[in-house]
Amino acid sequence: YCDTLKIHGDSVYCNTTERIIFTVCKNPLCGSFPEWSIDTSIVSSMNQINDTSIAILFKNITWSGKIYASLSTGKCTVSLYDSLSIHIIRSVQGISLGVDTVICSGNTMTLHAGPGFARYKWQDGSADSVFIVVNAGQYHVEAADYCGNVYRDTILVNTASYPFTLGRDTSKCNNDTITLTATPGFINY
């Protein structure tokens, strides 16, 4: 009779300090008890409530992962497995593209919005966590966490301009010498 297994519980928990209960639905005539599995490094406590439910108190961290349940169905049949992806959001995650900066002509720069958000939206409508800058301009990103909080940041990328001069125009007689001094601070001359 152990032919059904499904974990029930929410997939997102925001700023909770309470125990979270997960329940397995199984065939009522199934006499097997579910075996639960989760990354124990993020769990403060885990208690079996009854033959189908478990209560987990998560550590005070933000985490995304899975909880697993399995039922042994006997020697002649395959065991049943199920998993549930969950996201524990503890603290407000900010977003920062960094300080305004410059880019040299012909170069690229990668902007990182940061990992762990449910969705991203850049000024051009792209939805990745990173954006490749090829031209100077103003760039912005909007990111939403799994709890529905929205974060935004903007960065201004200017074209690097380094003035270069050999000094003012001058005249020289044929037998005279003249010293030209280039603007300092460059790698090669």
Side-chain angles (χ1 to χ4, degrees):
Y1 295 105
C2 297
D3 59 357
T4 304
L5 177 70
K6 179 70 177 160
I7 300 175
H8 287 274
D10 292 331
S11 60
V12 177
Y13 298 92
C14 302
N15 295 317
T16 184
T17 56
E18 304 291 321
R19 294 181 326 151
I20 299 171
I21 297 174
F22 297 95
T23 301
V24 164
C25 287
K26 62 179 186 158
N27 186 317
L29 298 177
C30 177
S32 293
F33 291 95
E35 291 185 30
W36 296 91
S37 176
I38 190 167
D39 181 355
T40 57
S41 69
I42 53 93
V43 173
S44 290
S45 69
M46 187 164 69
N47 304 93
Q48 188 88 26
I49 296 174
N50 55 37
D51 67 336
T52 59
S53 298
I54 191 168
I56 299 176
L57 178 60
F58 288 92
K59 291 182 179 176
N60 191 17
I61 59 172
T62 296
W63 178 78
S64 292
K66 290 186 176 188
I67 185 170
Y68 301 90
S70 64
L71 282 176
S72 177
T73 56
K75 295 179 182 175
C76 297
T77 57
V78 177
S79 296
L80 297 174
Y81 296 92
D82 192 28
S83 65
L84 177 67
S85 293
I86 54 177
H87 306 278
I88 306 296
I89 310 297
R90 289 287 188 192
S91 59
V92 176
Q93 295 181 11
I95 190 169
S96 176
L97 297 176
V99 297
D100 292 348
T101 188
V102 296
I103 186 172
C104 294
S105 180
N107 287 351
T108 63
M109 168 187 295
T110 303
L111 299 177
H112 298 272
F117 290 97
R119 66 174 179 81
Y120 301 87
K121 184 177 179 185
W122 292 88
Q123 71 287 333
D124 68 347
S126 61
D128 200 343
S129 65
V130 296
F131 186 84
I132 306 296
V133 174
V134 294
N135 295 312
Q138 185 172 338
Y139 296 89
H140 61 272
V141 65
E142 177 180 287
D145 66 18
Y146 289 93
C147 297
N149 300 311
V150 177
Y151 305 93
R152 295 174 183 86
D153 195 23
T154 301
I155 187 170
L156 181 61
V157 179
N158 290 308
T159 302
S161 64
Y162 300 101
F164 185 80
T165 181
L166 293 176
R168 59 189 176 113
D169 291 347
T170 188
S171 299
K172 160 187 130 28
C173 295
N174 285 340
N175 293 332
D176 290 341
T177 60
I178 193 168
T179 302
L180 300 175
T181 305
T183 305
F186 289 87
I187 297 172
N188 297 334
Y189 290 91

